[in-house]
Amino acid sequence: MEKGKGIMGSGRRWAVDFSDNSTAPSSRDIPDPPGFTRASVNQDDSTVSRQKKDAESNWKAQKAWEVAQAPFKNLLMMGFMMWMAGNTVHLFSIGITFSALWQPISALQGVGKVFEPYKDNKVDLLGPKLLFIALNLGGLALGVWKLNTLGLLPTHASDWVSSLPPAQEVEYSGGGIPL
Amino acid sequence: MLKLKGTLMLASPQDIAAIQSMRLKNSEKSKMTRDHNGFRKLLIVLTRAGKLFALHTGDGHIVWSHLLQSLQKSKVCQHPIGLNLYKWQVPHHHAMDENPSVLVIGKCGPSSDAPGALSFVDTYTGKELSSLSLVHSVAQVIPLPYTDSTEQCLHLLIDADKHAHLYPKTPEAISIFEREFSNIYWYSVEDDNGIIKGHALRGKCTGEVADEVCFDTRELWSIVFPSESEKIIVTVTRKLNEVVHTQAKVIADQEVMYKYISRNLLFVATVALKGSVEIGSVTPEESWLVAYLIDTVTCCILHQVTHHGSQGPVHAVFSENWVVYHYFNLKAHRYEMSVIEIYDQSRADNKDVWKLVLGKHNLTSPISLYSRPDVITKSQSYFFTHSVKAIAVTSTTKGITSKQLLIGTIGDQVLALDKRFLDPRRTVNPTQAEKEEGIIPLTDSLPIIPQSYVTHALRVEGLRGIITVPAKLESTTLVFAHGVDLFFTQLAPSRTYDSLTDDFNYALLLITIVALLAAIFVTWTLSERKELQENWR
């Protein structure tokens, strides 16, 4: 900016003089904006930043807990949709069940990414993360249970027995009416 | 040249006939080689006069015919009668060197202790490979389920003195037989005095007819039917080469019933003495029909049911774990068909899923008939309007396709009736789960659907028997009905679910696949290009 000053000179109306006024409170050529009190400027820098950081970490913790509880609403909605889908094997019911199974899995894969904006030295993310994982596992369990009620899981004895070949017989007998 | 004339519509009627016969001769179905689906087969038939024919299943022409010398009248054999054909050798491993051969058994006289005559015939050429005239008679022939290294099937010939002779007379066959000696039993049904006897093998023959391959037998058990009230009219067993696919039957609500599948079961039908004459000449009070299911190894009568007021003639067929038999009901003045299904109750305890997953069950281990079987039977009867000459059941290579009963009616036609109509679990009001399983609601008579006649508008004159043979294709079975006329067809009881239709559009499929691949490629490159442009904006 000195270059600008040097070339243009003080005759130019819009030459801006960037001088730092914050450390020289005695300069009164620029009036204060309305509502501004000089008292707050007098405080120490470290306290300000500490208070700011405290507020920020509180906010982050609160947000993290809220994000951890978000799957619960998803769970309820998924549960309702699966109940609507019915007990028969149709396109809709299969689609809902598989999306109910896929959503928790993809959410569990992206746990780190979900909680990244709230990463902070002071905030303990373990609690919210565990809650998030637990709720998603609950959603997965719901999907698996729905799969079971549709009859697609091999939980009955007939699923394992129905392909067994007949047992061989030790004795052999033949004969009949004489020729 | 002739074909050109035919296409230009210049052919005379004789030319058209010549073109037709040429087309038939060169068509796919008359070729003399094996088919990929197993449809082209040679039918070997033996007539009572001792002449052996081979018919081609494509169009029924006679490939070769052979009058067997050993069954002709000669010094040795005075009054030869051709008796039966058995599969002798089917070489799978030496298929290029040897042809399959059959064993023809005849006997030299009308009495039961006339000496027998054997003849081995090559099935592809019709030449007689060898012949044997036996010193002993042939009362019964039991084909054993063992083959030796040259793939000859072992047979046991029982003579009138109850000695068993093993054929082929080779030391290897003897060693194979002696390994299984204690597991072989045989039974004889004497219908004139109403006795069924079961025998086991004892050891080598003693006496003057001592031979390497002669074995003594001893009687194990006998069932004597009271001759003043019962007379045996029919005995039926399962076919030897029948294949059953699974031993468990899954019914409604994912429950399992285990079929009692045993090749050693015998179905016996006896009628009251007065009832063995023509229909209608006895009153319902003095005629009854008793049906038995007898285990021929342990003499255990597994099931017995009496139909009062019924009489013969009885025609029966036995397959897998069920028997279907047809008789006349005097009280209702109609023919009836009954079905009996046997299930093994002792296996029903296998309900623990974890044990089944880990394989800790004994459902596939070999079973011995001496362990007391715990069976339950289910049976039902239905009215049937036709009188019947013969009944058979369709058979396929793996036993997966559902079965149809082939009923030869008195009008010399063959009717195909789905086995699901003869299901003893039919009820008047089936539950939702039973309907899903496919159980038809119960009616008192079996429906005769005119479209299900296998013989369409033809009649097989003098129908005597129906034989079914599995083809290589699982959905199809080959049916041969014989009498005075011969009739052959292919049946697909569950429609042809395992082959594409003849007019399947392969070209359209290929074009669709190529077009889709091209579309995928084009849209991929377009989207990549668009993304790149976005990033450079």
Side-chain angles (χ1 to χ4, degrees), chain A residues 155-158 160-162 164-179, chain B residues 139-140 143 183 185-187 189 246-248 254 256 262-264 296 353 366-370:
Chain A
T155 47
H156 296 267
S158 58
W160 299 94
V161 153
S162 58
L164 289 174
Q168 229 188 350
E169 270 181 330
V170 174
E171 292 96 6
Y172 177 81
S173 91
I177 298 180
L179 290 171
Chain B
Q140 277 182 41
N183 290 333
Y185 302 81
W186 66 277
Y187 65 93
V189 176
T246 55
Q247 55 169 294
Q254 279 125 345
V256 187
S262 164
R263 279 183 213 271
N264 305 323
T296 50
V353 185
I367 49 178
S368 164
L369 290 165
Y370 282 104

mmCIF file of all heavy atoms in Angstrom, chain A residues 155-158 160-162 164-179, chain B residues 139-140 143 183 185-187 189 246-248 254 256 262-264 296 353 366-370:
data_model
loop_
_atom_site.group_PDB
_atom_site.id
_atom_site.type_symbol
_atom_site.label_atom_id
_atom_site.label_comp_id
_atom_site.label_asym_id
_atom_site.label_seq_id
_atom_site.Cartn_x
_atom_site.Cartn_y
_atom_site.Cartn_z
ATOM 1 N N THR A 155 -34.354 -70.440 9.385
ATOM 2 C CA THR A 155 -34.425 -70.690 10.819
ATOM 3 C C THR A 155 -35.254 -71.909 11.177
ATOM 4 O O THR A 155 -35.348 -72.275 12.324
ATOM 5 C CB THR A 155 -35.056 -69.490 11.539
ATOM 6 O OG1 THR A 155 -36.228 -69.118 10.805
ATOM 7 C CG2 THR A 155 -34.109 -68.330 11.592
ATOM 8 N N HIS A 156 -35.883 -72.545 10.184
ATOM 9 C CA HIS A 156 -36.690 -73.717 10.507
ATOM 10 C C HIS A 156 -35.934 -74.980 10.162
ATOM 11 O O HIS A 156 -35.061 -74.986 9.315
ATOM 12 C CB HIS A 156 -37.995 -73.702 9.701
ATOM 13 C CG HIS A 156 -38.876 -72.556 10.049
ATOM 14 N ND1 HIS A 156 -39.871 -72.632 10.985
ATOM 15 C CD2 HIS A 156 -38.903 -71.306 9.577
ATOM 16 C CE1 HIS A 156 -40.477 -71.471 11.069
ATOM 17 N NE2 HIS A 156 -39.914 -70.650 10.236
ATOM 18 N N ALA A 157 -36.324 -76.056 10.785
ATOM 19 C CA ALA A 157 -35.672 -77.333 10.503
ATOM 20 C C ALA A 157 -35.857 -77.728 9.048
ATOM 21 O O ALA A 157 -34.988 -78.347 8.442
ATOM 22 C CB ALA A 157 -36.244 -78.412 11.420
ATOM 23 N N SER A 158 -36.987 -77.359 8.461
ATOM 24 C CA SER A 158 -37.263 -77.796 7.098
ATOM 25 C C SER A 158 -36.301 -77.178 6.095
ATOM 26 O O SER A 158 -36.081 -77.723 5.028
ATOM 27 C CB SER A 158 -38.691 -77.448 6.705
ATOM 28 O OG SER A 158 -38.880 -76.062 6.830
ATOM 29 N N TRP A 160 -33.116 -76.976 6.407
ATOM 30 C CA TRP A 160 -31.861 -77.711 6.343
ATOM 31 C C TRP A 160 -32.069 -79.163 5.955
ATOM 32 O O TRP A 160 -31.133 -79.851 5.600
ATOM 33 C CB TRP A 160 -31.168 -77.652 7.711
ATOM 34 C CG TRP A 160 -30.876 -76.244 8.077
ATOM 35 C CD1 TRP A 160 -31.648 -75.415 8.831
ATOM 36 C CD2 TRP A 160 -29.759 -75.477 7.651
ATOM 37 N NE1 TRP A 160 -31.075 -74.171 8.913
ATOM 38 C CE2 TRP A 160 -29.912 -74.198 8.203
ATOM 39 C CE3 TRP A 160 -28.648 -75.753 6.865
ATOM 40 C CZ2 TRP A 160 -28.988 -73.192 7.990
ATOM 41 C CZ3 TRP A 160 -27.738 -74.752 6.666
ATOM 42 C CH2 TRP A 160 -27.915 -73.482 7.219
ATOM 43 N N VAL A 161 -33.289 -79.620 6.047
ATOM 44 C CA VAL A 161 -33.543 -81.042 5.853
ATOM 45 C C VAL A 161 -34.058 -81.343 4.453
ATOM 46 O O VAL A 161 -33.879 -82.429 3.937
ATOM 47 C CB VAL A 161 -34.560 -81.481 6.941
ATOM 48 C CG1 VAL A 161 -35.370 -82.638 6.509
ATOM 49 C CG2 VAL A 161 -33.831 -81.786 8.220
ATOM 50 N N SER A 162 -34.643 -80.334 3.817
ATOM 51 C CA SER A 162 -35.403 -80.636 2.610
ATOM 52 C C SER A 162 -34.538 -81.024 1.432
ATOM 53 O O SER A 162 -35.058 -81.402 0.409
ATOM 54 C CB SER A 162 -36.265 -79.450 2.228
ATOM 55 O OG SER A 162 -35.441 -78.336 2.042
ATOM 56 N N LEU A 164 -31.960 -83.326 1.771
ATOM 57 C CA LEU A 164 -31.184 -84.520 2.088
ATOM 58 C C LEU A 164 -31.620 -85.676 1.209
ATOM 59 O O LEU A 164 -32.807 -85.913 1.041
ATOM 60 C CB LEU A 164 -31.410 -84.907 3.551
ATOM 61 C CG LEU A 164 -30.794 -83.981 4.579
ATOM 62 C CD1 LEU A 164 -31.223 -84.409 5.948
ATOM 63 C CD2 LEU A 164 -29.297 -83.981 4.472
ATOM 64 N N PRO A 165 -30.685 -86.440 0.672
ATOM 65 C CA PRO A 165 -31.089 -87.585 -0.153
ATOM 66 C C PRO A 165 -31.579 -88.728 0.730
ATOM 67 O O PRO A 165 -31.295 -88.758 1.924
ATOM 68 C CB PRO A 165 -29.789 -87.969 -0.867
ATOM 69 C CG PRO A 165 -28.719 -87.488 0.028
ATOM 70 C CD PRO A 165 -29.243 -86.275 0.745
ATOM 71 N N PRO A 166 -32.298 -89.665 0.149
ATOM 72 C CA PRO A 166 -32.811 -90.770 0.965
ATOM 73 C C PRO A 166 -31.671 -91.619 1.508
ATOM 74 O O PRO A 166 -30.632 -91.781 0.867
ATOM 75 C CB PRO A 166 -33.655 -91.588 -0.014
ATOM 76 C CG PRO A 166 -33.863 -90.735 -1.178
ATOM 77 C CD PRO A 166 -32.755 -89.742 -1.224
ATOM 78 N N ALA A 167 -31.882 -92.171 2.677
ATOM 79 C CA ALA A 167 -30.851 -92.992 3.287
ATOM 80 C C ALA A 167 -30.776 -94.335 2.572
ATOM 81 O O ALA A 167 -31.772 -94.862 2.101
ATOM 82 C CB ALA A 167 -31.173 -93.202 4.766
ATOM 83 N N GLN A 168 -29.579 -94.870 2.537
ATOM 84 C CA GLN A 168 -29.414 -96.146 1.851
ATOM 85 C C GLN A 168 -29.875 -97.275 2.747
ATOM 86 O O GLN A 168 -29.760 -97.190 3.971
ATOM 87 C CB GLN A 168 -27.933 -96.324 1.591
ATOM 88 C CG GLN A 168 -27.609 -96.706 0.212
ATOM 89 C CD GLN A 168 -26.147 -97.049 0.117
ATOM 90 O OE1 GLN A 168 -25.399 -96.812 1.058
ATOM 91 N NE2 GLN A 168 -25.760 -97.605 -0.976
ATOM 92 N N GLU A 169 -30.340 -98.330 2.141
ATOM 93 C CA GLU A 169 -30.785 -99.458 2.951
ATOM 94 C C GLU A 169 -29.761 -100.558 2.916
ATOM 95 O O GLU A 169 -29.186 -100.852 1.877
ATOM 96 C CB GLU A 169 -32.082 -99.996 2.388
ATOM 97 C CG GLU A 169 -33.243 -99.319 3.007
ATOM 98 C CD GLU A 169 -34.508 -99.860 2.472
ATOM 99 O OE1 GLU A 169 -34.509 -100.292 1.319
ATOM 100 O OE2 GLU A 169 -35.476 -99.875 3.210
ATOM 101 N N VAL A 170 -29.597 -101.194 4.035
ATOM 102 C CA VAL A 170 -28.570 -102.220 4.105
ATOM 103 C C VAL A 170 -29.050 -103.507 3.436
ATOM 104 O O VAL A 170 -28.328 -104.141 2.686
ATOM 105 C CB VAL A 170 -28.210 -102.463 5.585
ATOM 106 C CG1 VAL A 170 -27.268 -103.608 5.719
ATOM 107 C CG2 VAL A 170 -27.600 -101.215 6.168
ATOM 108 N N GLU A 171 -30.299 -103.877 3.706
ATOM 109 C CA GLU A 171 -30.777 -105.139 3.152
ATOM 110 C C GLU A 171 -31.418 -104.931 1.793
ATOM 111 O O GLU A 171 -31.929 -103.882 1.479
ATOM 112 C CB GLU A 171 -31.808 -105.784 4.089
ATOM 113 C CG GLU A 171 -31.246 -106.258 5.396
ATOM 114 C CD GLU A 171 -31.458 -105.216 6.457
ATOM 115 O OE1 GLU A 171 -32.130 -104.229 6.165
ATOM 116 O OE2 GLU A 171 -30.945 -105.392 7.562
ATOM 117 N N TYR A 172 -31.399 -105.978 1.000
ATOM 118 C CA TYR A 172 -32.020 -105.929 -0.323
ATOM 119 C C TYR A 172 -32.859 -107.180 -0.494
ATOM 120 O O TYR A 172 -32.401 -108.276 -0.200
ATOM 121 C CB TYR A 172 -30.932 -105.878 -1.390
ATOM 122 C CG TYR A 172 -31.477 -105.906 -2.785
ATOM 123 C CD1 TYR A 172 -31.959 -104.746 -3.373
ATOM 124 C CD2 TYR A 172 -31.535 -107.085 -3.498
ATOM 125 C CE1 TYR A 172 -32.481 -104.766 -4.630
ATOM 126 C CE2 TYR A 172 -32.055 -107.105 -4.768
ATOM 127 C CZ TYR A 172 -32.530 -105.950 -5.332
ATOM 128 O OH TYR A 172 -33.041 -105.973 -6.588
ATOM 129 N N SER A 173 -34.070 -107.010 -0.959
ATOM 130 C CA SER A 173 -34.862 -108.218 -1.187
ATOM 131 C C SER A 173 -35.595 -108.103 -2.505
ATOM 132 O O SER A 173 -35.960 -107.020 -2.937
ATOM 133 C CB SER A 173 -35.848 -108.436 -0.046
ATOM 134 O OG SER A 173 -37.055 -107.825 -0.331
ATOM 135 N N GLY A 174 -35.774 -109.211 -3.157
ATOM 136 C CA GLY A 174 -36.478 -109.211 -4.434
ATOM 137 C C GLY A 174 -37.316 -110.460 -4.535
ATOM 138 O O GLY A 174 -37.325 -111.297 -3.641
ATOM 139 N N GLY A 175 -38.031 -110.577 -5.620
ATOM 140 C CA GLY A 175 -38.824 -111.786 -5.791
ATOM 141 C C GLY A 175 -40.228 -111.439 -6.213
ATOM 142 O O GLY A 175 -40.487 -110.361 -6.731
ATOM 143 N N GLY A 176 -41.146 -112.365 -6.009
ATOM 144 C CA GLY A 176 -42.524 -112.086 -6.389
ATOM 145 C C GLY A 176 -43.221 -113.361 -6.757
ATOM 146 O O GLY A 176 -42.916 -114.431 -6.250
ATOM 147 N N ILE A 177 -44.173 -113.216 -7.628
ATOM 148 C CA ILE A 177 -44.930 -114.376 -8.082
ATOM 149 C C ILE A 177 -44.037 -115.169 -9.023
ATOM 150 O O ILE A 177 -43.373 -114.581 -9.881
ATOM 151 C CB ILE A 177 -46.212 -113.900 -8.805
ATOM 152 C CG1 ILE A 177 -47.073 -113.130 -7.817
ATOM 153 C CG2 ILE A 177 -46.985 -115.066 -9.362
ATOM 154 C CD1 ILE A 177 -48.347 -112.620 -8.414
ATOM 155 N N PRO A 178 -43.985 -116.474 -8.882
ATOM 156 C CA PRO A 178 -43.110 -117.254 -9.749
ATOM 157 C C PRO A 178 -43.499 -117.096 -11.214
ATOM 158 O O PRO A 178 -44.668 -116.939 -11.558
ATOM 159 C CB PRO A 178 -43.344 -118.693 -9.287
ATOM 160 C CG PRO A 178 -43.881 -118.571 -7.931
ATOM 161 C CD PRO A 178 -44.613 -117.288 -7.843
ATOM 162 N N LEU A 179 -42.492 -117.122 -12.062
ATOM 163 C CA LEU A 179 -42.708 -116.875 -13.490
ATOM 164 C C LEU A 179 -43.531 -117.977 -14.137
ATOM 165 O O LEU A 179 -43.338 -119.140 -13.822
ATOM 166 C CB LEU A 179 -41.349 -116.802 -14.191
ATOM 167 C CG LEU A 179 -40.525 -115.567 -13.840
ATOM 168 C CD1 LEU A 179 -39.138 -115.709 -14.398
ATOM 169 C CD2 LEU A 179 -41.197 -114.326 -14.404
ATOM 170 N N ALA B 139 -37.661 -120.279 -11.465
ATOM 171 C CA ALA B 139 -38.918 -119.876 -10.854
ATOM 172 C C ALA B 139 -38.982 -118.368 -10.709
ATOM 173 O O ALA B 139 -40.025 -117.756 -10.884
ATOM 174 C CB ALA B 139 -39.084 -120.537 -9.488
ATOM 175 N N GLN B 140 -37.842 -117.778 -10.370
ATOM 176 C CA GLN B 140 -37.815 -116.324 -10.227
ATOM 177 C C GLN B 140 -36.468 -115.798 -10.636
ATOM 178 O O GLN B 140 -35.466 -116.502 -10.542
ATOM 179 C CB GLN B 140 -38.033 -115.946 -8.766
ATOM 180 C CG GLN B 140 -39.477 -115.921 -8.383
ATOM 181 C CD GLN B 140 -39.608 -115.492 -6.971
ATOM 182 O OE1 GLN B 140 -38.908 -114.584 -6.572
ATOM 183 N NE2 GLN B 140 -40.460 -116.147 -6.236
ATOM 184 N N PRO B 143 -32.848 -109.373 -10.070
ATOM 185 C CA PRO B 143 -31.674 -108.584 -10.461
ATOM 186 C C PRO B 143 -31.093 -107.899 -9.225
ATOM 187 O O PRO B 143 -31.814 -107.248 -8.485
ATOM 188 C CB PRO B 143 -32.249 -107.551 -11.435
ATOM 189 C CG PRO B 143 -33.719 -107.663 -11.368
ATOM 190 C CD PRO B 143 -34.102 -108.741 -10.438
ATOM 191 N N ASN B 183 -26.958 -109.764 3.297
ATOM 192 C CA ASN B 183 -27.964 -108.713 3.175
ATOM 193 C C ASN B 183 -28.972 -108.982 2.078
ATOM 194 O O ASN B 183 -29.758 -108.123 1.751
ATOM 195 C CB ASN B 183 -27.283 -107.374 2.872
ATOM 196 C CG ASN B 183 -26.525 -106.870 4.057
ATOM 197 O OD1 ASN B 183 -26.873 -107.184 5.184
ATOM 198 N ND2 ASN B 183 -25.493 -106.101 3.805
ATOM 199 N N TYR B 185 -32.112 -111.018 0.532
ATOM 200 C CA TYR B 185 -33.255 -111.851 0.895
ATOM 201 C C TYR B 185 -34.137 -111.987 -0.331
ATOM 202 O O TYR B 185 -34.052 -111.192 -1.254
ATOM 203 C CB TYR B 185 -34.073 -111.181 2.007
ATOM 204 C CG TYR B 185 -33.289 -110.888 3.248
ATOM 205 C CD1 TYR B 185 -32.471 -109.767 3.326
ATOM 206 C CD2 TYR B 185 -33.371 -111.719 4.351
ATOM 207 C CE1 TYR B 185 -31.751 -109.498 4.456
ATOM 208 C CE2 TYR B 185 -32.655 -111.452 5.490
ATOM 209 C CZ TYR B 185 -31.848 -110.347 5.542
ATOM 210 O OH TYR B 185 -31.125 -110.073 6.662
ATOM 211 N N TRP B 186 -34.980 -112.982 -0.330
ATOM 212 C CA TRP B 186 -35.958 -113.024 -1.416
ATOM 213 C C TRP B 186 -37.258 -113.605 -0.875
ATOM 214 O O TRP B 186 -37.285 -114.300 0.126
ATOM 215 C CB TRP B 186 -35.428 -113.805 -2.613
ATOM 216 C CG TRP B 186 -35.207 -115.250 -2.402
ATOM 217 C CD1 TRP B 186 -34.129 -115.838 -1.845
ATOM 218 C CD2 TRP B 186 -36.095 -116.295 -2.762
ATOM 219 N NE1 TRP B 186 -34.282 -117.184 -1.824
ATOM 220 C CE2 TRP B 186 -35.467 -117.509 -2.376
ATOM 221 C CE3 TRP B 186 -37.355 -116.344 -3.351
ATOM 222 C CZ2 TRP B 186 -36.071 -118.739 -2.579
ATOM 223 C CZ3 TRP B 186 -37.947 -117.574 -3.554
ATOM 224 C CH2 TRP B 186 -37.311 -118.758 -3.165
ATOM 225 N N TYR B 187 -38.330 -113.290 -1.553
ATOM 226 C CA TYR B 187 -39.644 -113.743 -1.087
ATOM 227 C C TYR B 187 -40.397 -114.347 -2.256
ATOM 228 O O TYR B 187 -40.118 -114.038 -3.415
ATOM 229 C CB TYR B 187 -40.438 -112.584 -0.474
ATOM 230 C CG TYR B 187 -40.788 -111.506 -1.451
ATOM 231 C CD1 TYR B 187 -41.992 -111.502 -2.135
ATOM 232 C CD2 TYR B 187 -39.890 -110.474 -1.701
ATOM 233 C CE1 TYR B 187 -42.286 -110.527 -3.037
ATOM 234 C CE2 TYR B 187 -40.188 -109.491 -2.600
ATOM 235 C CZ TYR B 187 -41.389 -109.530 -3.257
ATOM 236 O OH TYR B 187 -41.685 -108.540 -4.161
ATOM 237 N N VAL B 189 -44.383 -115.428 -3.614
ATOM 238 C CA VAL B 189 -45.812 -115.263 -3.392
ATOM 239 C C VAL B 189 -46.515 -116.438 -4.061
ATOM 240 O O VAL B 189 -46.425 -116.604 -5.275
ATOM 241 C CB VAL B 189 -46.297 -113.940 -4.012
ATOM 242 C CG1 VAL B 189 -47.786 -113.808 -3.866
ATOM 243 C CG2 VAL B 189 -45.590 -112.772 -3.388
ATOM 244 N N THR B 246 -35.646 -86.497 -2.495
ATOM 245 C CA THR B 246 -35.378 -86.135 -1.098
ATOM 246 C C THR B 246 -36.184 -87.038 -0.192
ATOM 247 O O THR B 246 -37.202 -87.576 -0.579
ATOM 248 C CB THR B 246 -35.821 -84.699 -0.785
ATOM 249 O OG1 THR B 246 -37.187 -84.569 -1.144
ATOM 250 C CG2 THR B 246 -35.009 -83.694 -1.521
ATOM 251 N N GLN B 247 -35.736 -87.151 1.038
ATOM 252 C CA GLN B 247 -36.488 -87.983 1.960
ATOM 253 C C GLN B 247 -37.447 -87.169 2.805
ATOM 254 O O GLN B 247 -38.248 -87.732 3.519
ATOM 255 C CB GLN B 247 -35.517 -88.721 2.891
ATOM 256 C CG GLN B 247 -34.590 -87.795 3.620
ATOM 257 C CD GLN B 247 -33.843 -88.527 4.702
ATOM 258 O OE1 GLN B 247 -34.450 -88.967 5.654
ATOM 259 N NE2 GLN B 247 -32.550 -88.653 4.543
ATOM 260 N N ALA B 248 -37.367 -85.871 2.727
ATOM 261 C CA ALA B 248 -38.248 -85.052 3.561
ATOM 262 C C ALA B 248 -39.267 -84.362 2.680
ATOM 263 O O ALA B 248 -38.962 -83.934 1.584
ATOM 264 C CB ALA B 248 -37.426 -84.015 4.316
ATOM 265 N N GLN B 254 -44.000 -74.748 7.198
ATOM 266 C CA GLN B 254 -42.611 -75.208 7.287
ATOM 267 C C GLN B 254 -42.425 -76.423 8.192
ATOM 268 O O GLN B 254 -41.386 -76.600 8.797
ATOM 269 C CB GLN B 254 -41.686 -74.087 7.769
ATOM 270 C CG GLN B 254 -41.309 -73.166 6.661
ATOM 271 C CD GLN B 254 -41.645 -71.742 6.983
ATOM 272 O OE1 GLN B 254 -42.394 -71.480 7.905
ATOM 273 N NE2 GLN B 254 -41.113 -70.840 6.203
ATOM 274 N N VAL B 256 -42.067 -80.576 8.590
ATOM 275 C CA VAL B 256 -41.443 -81.593 7.748
ATOM 276 C C VAL B 256 -42.040 -82.947 8.069
ATOM 277 O O VAL B 256 -42.234 -83.277 9.239
ATOM 278 C CB VAL B 256 -39.919 -81.662 8.009
ATOM 279 C CG1 VAL B 256 -39.271 -82.582 7.023
ATOM 280 C CG2 VAL B 256 -39.316 -80.294 7.902
ATOM 281 N N SER B 262 -38.560 -97.313 1.287
ATOM 282 C CA SER B 262 -37.868 -98.579 1.425
ATOM 283 C C SER B 262 -38.164 -99.381 0.183
ATOM 284 O O SER B 262 -39.310 -99.465 -0.244
ATOM 285 C CB SER B 262 -38.380 -99.293 2.668
ATOM 286 O OG SER B 262 -38.020 -100.634 2.632
ATOM 287 N N ARG B 263 -37.145 -99.950 -0.414
ATOM 288 C CA ARG B 263 -37.394 -100.727 -1.625
ATOM 289 C C ARG B 263 -37.942 -102.097 -1.310
ATOM 290 O O ARG B 263 -38.295 -102.835 -2.208
ATOM 291 C CB ARG B 263 -36.089 -100.889 -2.390
ATOM 292 C CG ARG B 263 -35.794 -99.678 -3.191
ATOM 293 C CD ARG B 263 -34.560 -99.861 -3.990
ATOM 294 N NE ARG B 263 -33.911 -98.577 -4.092
ATOM 295 C CZ ARG B 263 -34.164 -97.704 -5.061
ATOM 296 N NH1 ARG B 263 -34.982 -97.998 -6.003
ATOM 297 N NH2 ARG B 263 -33.580 -96.536 -5.071
ATOM 298 N N ASN B 264 -38.002 -102.443 -0.037
ATOM 299 C CA ASN B 264 -38.382 -103.805 0.315
ATOM 300 C C ASN B 264 -39.809 -103.898 0.789
ATOM 301 O O ASN B 264 -40.164 -104.793 1.531
ATOM 302 C CB ASN B 264 -37.434 -104.319 1.404
ATOM 303 C CG ASN B 264 -36.011 -104.210 0.954
ATOM 304 O OD1 ASN B 264 -35.705 -104.428 -0.204
ATOM 305 N ND2 ASN B 264 -35.130 -103.847 1.859
ATOM 306 N N THR B 296 -40.681 -107.038 3.275
ATOM 307 C CA THR B 296 -40.327 -108.397 2.880
ATOM 308 C C THR B 296 -39.048 -108.894 3.523
ATOM 309 O O THR B 296 -38.656 -110.025 3.300
ATOM 310 C CB THR B 296 -40.135 -108.453 1.356
ATOM 311 O OG1 THR B 296 -39.258 -107.406 0.985
ATOM 312 C CG2 THR B 296 -41.448 -108.291 0.652
ATOM 313 N N VAL B 353 -32.694 -76.979 15.209
ATOM 314 C CA VAL B 353 -32.103 -76.382 14.014
ATOM 315 C C VAL B 353 -30.582 -76.356 14.111
ATOM 316 O O VAL B 353 -29.874 -76.555 13.127
ATOM 317 C CB VAL B 353 -32.644 -74.961 13.791
ATOM 318 C CG1 VAL B 353 -32.135 -74.390 12.495
ATOM 319 C CG2 VAL B 353 -34.140 -74.986 13.773
ATOM 320 N N PRO B 366 -26.963 -95.067 6.684
ATOM 321 C CA PRO B 366 -27.715 -96.224 6.172
ATOM 322 C C PRO B 366 -28.601 -96.831 7.261
ATOM 323 O O PRO B 366 -28.228 -96.859 8.430
ATOM 324 C CB PRO B 366 -26.620 -97.213 5.760
ATOM 325 C CG PRO B 366 -25.403 -96.424 5.648
ATOM 326 C CD PRO B 366 -25.527 -95.269 6.564
ATOM 327 N N ILE B 367 -29.764 -97.259 6.861
ATOM 328 C CA ILE B 367 -30.693 -97.801 7.844
ATOM 329 C C ILE B 367 -30.879 -99.284 7.609
ATOM 330 O O ILE B 367 -30.825 -99.766 6.487
ATOM 331 C CB ILE B 367 -32.068 -97.102 7.784
ATOM 332 C CG1 ILE B 367 -32.573 -97.044 6.352
ATOM 333 C CG2 ILE B 367 -31.987 -95.735 8.356
ATOM 334 C CD1 ILE B 367 -33.918 -96.431 6.255
ATOM 335 N N SER B 368 -31.126 -99.987 8.676
ATOM 336 C CA SER B 368 -31.381 -101.413 8.582
ATOM 337 C C SER B 368 -32.839 -101.640 8.906
ATOM 338 O O SER B 368 -33.408 -100.985 9.767
ATOM 339 C CB SER B 368 -30.503 -102.154 9.589
ATOM 340 O OG SER B 368 -30.989 -103.456 9.764
ATOM 341 N N LEU B 369 -33.455 -102.578 8.175
ATOM 342 C CA LEU B 369 -34.874 -102.783 8.388
ATOM 343 C C LEU B 369 -35.164 -103.536 9.667
ATOM 344 O O LEU B 369 -36.318 -103.710 10.024
ATOM 345 C CB LEU B 369 -35.456 -103.535 7.193
ATOM 346 C CG LEU B 369 -35.476 -102.645 5.970
ATOM 347 C CD1 LEU B 369 -35.683 -103.452 4.739
ATOM 348 C CD2 LEU B 369 -36.592 -101.651 6.099
ATOM 349 N N TYR B 370 -34.138 -104.008 10.346
ATOM 350 C CA TYR B 370 -34.398 -104.732 11.577
ATOM 351 C C TYR B 370 -34.646 -103.803 12.754
ATOM 352 O O TYR B 370 -35.081 -104.245 13.796
ATOM 353 C CB TYR B 370 -33.242 -105.690 11.877
ATOM 354 C CG TYR B 370 -33.317 -106.924 11.027
ATOM 355 C CD1 TYR B 370 -32.476 -107.093 9.944
ATOM 356 C CD2 TYR B 370 -34.266 -107.898 11.289
ATOM 357 C CE1 TYR B 370 -32.576 -108.205 9.153
ATOM 358 C CE2 TYR B 370 -34.367 -109.019 10.495
ATOM 359 C CZ TYR B 370 -33.517 -109.169 9.429
ATOM 360 O OH TYR B 370 -33.623 -110.282 8.636
#
